[in-house]
Coordinates of all heavy atoms in Angstrom, one line a residue:
Chain A
K494 N 17.7 42.4 -0.3 CA 18.6 42.9 0.8 C 18.9 44.4 0.6 O 18.8 45.1 1.6 CB 19.9 42.1 0.8 CG 20.7 42.3 2.0 CD 21.5 41.1 2.4 CE 22.0 41.3 3.8 NZ 22.7 40.1 4.3
A495 N 19.1 44.8 -0.6 CA 19.5 46.2 -0.8 C 18.3 47.1 -0.5 O 18.4 48.3 -0.3 CB 19.9 46.4 -2.2
K496 N 17.1 46.5 -0.5 CA 15.9 47.3 -0.4 C 15.2 47.1 1.0 O 14.0 47.4 1.1 CB 14.9 47.0 -1.5 CG 15.5 47.0 -2.8 CD 14.5 47.4 -3.9 CE 15.2 47.8 -5.2 NZ 14.4 48.2 -6.2
R497 N 16.0 46.6 1.9 CA 15.3 46.2 3.2 C 14.7 47.4 4.0 O 13.8 47.2 4.8 CB 16.2 45.3 4.0 CG 17.4 46.0 4.5 CD 18.3 45.0 5.2 NE 19.3 45.6 6.0 CZ 20.5 46.0 5.4 NH1 20.6 45.8 4.1 NH2 21.4 46.6 6.1
K498 N 15.2 48.6 3.7 CA 14.6 49.7 4.5 C 13.5 50.4 3.7 O 13.0 51.5 4.2 CB 15.7 50.8 4.7 CG 16.9 50.3 5.6 CD 16.5 50.3 7.1 CE 17.7 49.8 7.9 NZ 17.3 49.2 9.2
I499 N 13.1 49.9 2.6 CA 12.1 50.5 1.7 C 10.7 49.9 2.1 O 10.6 48.7 2.3 CB 12.4 50.3 0.3 CG1 13.7 51.1 -0.1 CG2 11.3 50.8 -0.6 CD1 14.2 50.9 -1.5
R500 N 9.7 50.8 2.1 CA 8.4 50.3 2.3 C 8.0 49.4 1.1 O 8.2 49.7 0.0 CB 7.4 51.5 2.4 CG 7.5 52.2 3.7 CD 6.2 52.6 4.2 NE 5.8 54.0 3.8 CZ 4.6 54.5 4.0 NH1 3.7 53.8 4.5 NH2 4.4 55.7 3.6
A501 N 7.4 48.2 1.5 CA 7.1 47.2 0.6 C 6.2 47.6 -0.6 O 6.3 47.1 -1.7 CB 6.6 45.9 1.3
G502 N 5.4 48.6 -0.3 CA 4.5 49.1 -1.3 C 5.2 49.7 -2.5 O 4.6 49.8 -3.6
Y503 N 6.4 50.1 -2.3 CA 7.2 50.8 -3.4 C 8.1 49.8 -4.1 O 8.8 50.3 -5.1 CB 8.0 51.9 -2.8 CG 7.2 53.1 -2.3 CD1 7.2 53.4 -0.9 CD2 6.4 53.8 -3.1 CE1 6.4 54.4 -0.4 CE2 5.6 54.8 -2.6 CZ 5.6 55.2 -1.3 OH 4.9 56.2 -0.8
L504 N 8.1 48.5 -3.8 CA 8.9 47.6 -4.6 C 8.2 47.3 -5.9 O 7.0 47.6 -6.1 CB 9.0 46.3 -3.8 CG 9.7 46.2 -2.5 CD1 9.6 44.9 -1.9 CD2 11.1 46.7 -2.6
S505 N 9.0 46.8 -6.9 CA 8.4 46.4 -8.2 C 7.6 45.2 -8.0 O 7.7 44.5 -6.9 CB 9.5 46.1 -9.2 OG 10.1 44.9 -8.9
G506 N 6.7 44.9 -8.9 CA 5.8 43.8 -8.8 C 6.6 42.5 -8.6 O 6.2 41.7 -7.7
G507 N 7.7 42.3 -9.3 CA 8.4 41.0 -9.2 C 9.0 40.9 -7.8 O 9.0 39.9 -7.1
E508 N 9.5 42.0 -7.3 CA 10.1 42.0 -5.9 C 9.1 41.8 -4.8 O 9.3 41.1 -3.8 CB 10.9 43.4 -5.7 CG 12.1 43.5 -6.5 CD 12.6 45.0 -6.6 OE1 11.8 45.9 -6.2 OE2 13.7 45.2 -7.0
Q509 N 7.9 42.4 -5.1 CA 6.8 42.1 -4.1 C 6.5 40.6 -4.0 O 6.3 40.1 -2.9 CB 5.6 42.9 -4.4 CG 5.8 44.4 -4.2 CD 4.5 45.2 -4.5 OE1 3.6 44.7 -5.1 NE2 4.5 46.5 -4.1
Q510 N 6.4 40.0 -5.2 CA 6.1 38.6 -5.2 C 7.2 37.8 -4.5 O 7.0 36.8 -3.8 CB 5.9 38.1 -6.6 CG 5.3 36.7 -6.7 CD 4.0 36.6 -6.1 OE1 3.0 37.2 -6.5 NE2 3.8 35.7 -5.1
M511 N 8.5 38.2 -4.8 CA 9.6 37.5 -4.1 C 9.5 37.7 -2.6 O 9.7 36.7 -1.8 CB 10.9 38.2 -4.5 CG 11.3 37.9 -5.9 SD 12.8 38.8 -6.3 CE 13.0 38.4 -8.0
L512 N 9.1 38.8 -2.1 CA 8.9 39.1 -0.7 C 7.8 38.2 -0.1 O 8.0 37.5 0.9 CB 8.7 40.5 -0.4 CG 8.5 40.9 1.1 CD1 9.7 40.5 1.9 CD2 8.2 42.4 1.3
A513 N 6.7 38.1 -0.9 CA 5.6 37.3 -0.5 C 6.0 35.9 -0.3 O 5.6 35.2 0.7 CB 4.4 37.4 -1.5
I514 N 6.8 35.3 -1.2 CA 7.2 33.9 -1.1 C 8.2 33.8 0.0 O 8.2 32.8 0.8 CB 7.7 33.4 -2.5 CG1 6.5 33.4 -3.5 CG2 8.3 32.0 -2.3 CD1 6.9 33.0 -4.9
G515 N 9.1 34.8 0.1 CA 10.2 34.8 1.1 C 9.6 34.7 2.5 O 10.1 34.0 3.4
L516 N 8.5 35.5 2.7 CA 7.9 35.5 4.0 C 7.4 34.1 4.4 O 7.5 33.7 5.5 CB 6.7 36.5 4.0 CG 7.0 38.0 4.0 CD1 5.8 38.8 4.0 CD2 8.0 38.4 5.1

Side-chain angles (χ1 to χ4, degrees):
Chain A
K494 191 149 196 173
K496 308 214 165 179
R497 64 186 191 280
K498 299 281 181 202
I499 295 177
R500 284 217 267 172
Y503 291 117
L504 297 177
S505 75
E508 288 161 348
Q509 289 183 348
Q510 189 63 59
M511 288 175 185
L512 179 59
I514 295 174
L516 292 179

